[in-house]
Amino acid sequence: MEKVYLWSDPEIRTQNDRVSITPMLVDDDKIHPAVLVIPGGGYGVVCLSTEGFPIAGKFNELGYHAFILDYRTAPNRWPLPQLDAMRAMKVIRSNAQKFRVDPGQVAVCGFSAGAHLAGSLGILCDELAAVNGDEADAFPHRPDVMILCYGVLSFSEWNTQGTQMNLLGENYRAIRHEYSLVEKVNSSTPPAFLMHTICDQIVPYRNSLEFADAMGRCKRPCELALYNWGDHGILLGLNTLDVISWPERAHCFMQSLRLEQQDAQFLERYTNSYQNQQNQLEKQGKCAEKP
């Protein structure tokens, strides 16, 4: 499908075009969950060709409609990229019938600085208003699940400074803690799947460790996929034995969240007593119970 421009004002532009989402839909007539894909680029560029289209294609394979966001970057500052992402979520949900999307299953998947933008949707944006003057204004912007890949999740001195400055301006050190996702996690933060590599030479994996710890302290659903090898920008981990698994792991995480809501016995499978029982059934040659 062609780009969908998000704002009525044609002067609201990215570096190359108007702010937009590019739909990549599963090729059938069924209703599917959706993922808003937000490429990174340090809030200075948008890496559509690497962290946009290939990622969307993978989610299509997993049964998700995907929408790739092209958003404003520096010299545009906070909250303009966030307003673009909010508007994208509203447009997806307001056009759920047209796109064949389940509006109650819309995730966001961001990379590097794009992960900060994705996390902003669930953590920082509730006091912002992305208003365009149409019916989409009334739809919620918060994602049902956040998938944050090698993300800039902490705005701290030990973390990459360029991303912080591009978003917040030259005075970023004085205000950055207000925009640090790790410090703003709370009891209503959406569930999160995190992916990072220990060898990331640009965005330290400490970002994901601290975010996972914050989620745990707030008792929010969170899964951390931490891999030993992989440069920053590992993308889909093609031709690896380990990193290549992260999209399927994210998919299983989202499926499990839905199953938890539907199955009163869901958590029983995660107890020692259940596992011991299933182990005995295996030894007796009986099939273990499946979800």
Side-chain angles (χ1 to χ4, degrees):
M1 297 182 67
E2 296 182 353
K3 291 180 182 179
V4 176
Y5 294 117
L6 298 181
W7 301 102
S8 299
D9 184 352
E11 298 303 314
I12 299 179
R13 301 182 63 86
T14 70
Q15 291 184 359
N16 299 307
D17 198 356
R18 293 170 61 186
V19 173
S20 67
I21 51 173
T22 300
M24 289 180 59
L25 307 181
V26 179
D27 189 17
D28 62 27
D29 294 326
K30 299 178 181 178
I31 295 175
H32 290 273
V35 177
L36 174 64
V37 178
I38 305 183
Y43 280 120
V45 297
V46 181
C47 300
L48 293 169
S49 64
T50 54
E51 293 171 343
F53 295 103
I55 307 303
K58 182 61 181 181
F59 276 110
N60 285 167
E61 293 177 12
L62 294 171
Y64 295 80
H65 295 314
F67 301 83
I68 307 163
L69 177 64
D70 186 15
Y71 56 95
R72 285 173 283 183
T73 56
N76 295 289
R77 310 295 188 192
W78 168 278
L80 300 184
Q82 281 66 29
L83 294 177
D84 294 342
M86 292 171 68
R87 176 68 182 167
M89 294 293 287
K90 290 172 175 288
V91 168
I92 291 168
R93 287 193 169 111
S94 68
N95 288 277
Q97 185 174 3
K98 172 183 175 181
F99 293 136
R100 307 187 309 280
V101 163
D102 181 344
Q105 295 187 45
V106 183
V108 64
C109 178
F111 297 82
S112 194
H116 181 273
L117 181 49
S120 296
L121 285 173
I123 299 174
L124 299 179
C125 291
D126 285 349
E127 295 183 3
L128 300 177
V131 177
N132 189 61
D134 57 22
E135 62 180 15
D137 290 347
F139 286 79
H141 70 267
R142 285 171 62 89
D144 297 293
V145 181
M146 304 183 300
I147 303 170
L148 310 177
C149 300
Y150 43 87
V152 183
L153 309 180
S154 174
F155 275 11
S156 302
E157 189 62 36
W158 53 262
N159 212 3
T160 173
Q161 302 296 295
T163 295
Q164 301 176 47
M165 184 169 63
N166 281 339
L167 179 64
L168 301 178
E170 296 289 341
N171 194 39
Y172 70 95
R173 283 187 170 88
I175 60 175
R176 62 184 172 192
H177 293 296
E178 290 299 313
Y179 307 95
S180 179
L181 300 181
V182 165
E183 298 180 42
K184 298 296 182 177
V185 169
N186 58 43
S187 60
S188 64
T189 298
F193 177 91
L194 312 172
M195 186 274 276
H196 224 125
T197 61
I198 291 175
C199 294
D200 192 314
Q201 75 278 36
I202 296 178
V203 178
Y205 70 94
R206 179 177 172 181
N207 282 272
S208 293
L209 292 180
E210 291 193 359
F211 192 92
D213 183 59
M215 292 287 283
R217 284 187 278 107
C218 291
K219 302 186 185 306
R220 299 302 298 146
C222 181
E223 182 171 329
L224 171 59
L226 183 62
Y227 299 100
N228 186 52
W229 296 283
D231 288 343
H232 186 73
I234 189 65
L235 306 176
L236 293 171
L238 300 178
N239 298 319
T240 71
L241 295 175
D242 47 5
V243 183
I244 198 171
S245 68
W246 79 258
E248 285 79 7
R249 289 183 63 176
H251 170 58
C252 289
F253 177 68
M254 291 188 284
Q255 285 189 312
S256 296
L257 290 170
R258 292 194 290 272
L259 187 61
E260 180 186 19
Q261 297 173 352
Q262 299 166 1
D263 183 359
Q265 304 300 315
F266 173 81
L267 292 178
E268 175 63 22
R269 297 189 179 92
Y270 293 86
T271 64
N272 291 337
S273 60
Y274 177 87
Q275 293 300 320
N276 287 334
Q277 180 188 53
Q278 297 303 307
N279 190 40
Q280 292 300 317
L281 290 173
E282 291 279 356
K283 288 180 179 180
Q284 296 169 18
K286 298 178 181 179
C287 293
E289 181 184 349
K290 303 297 182 182

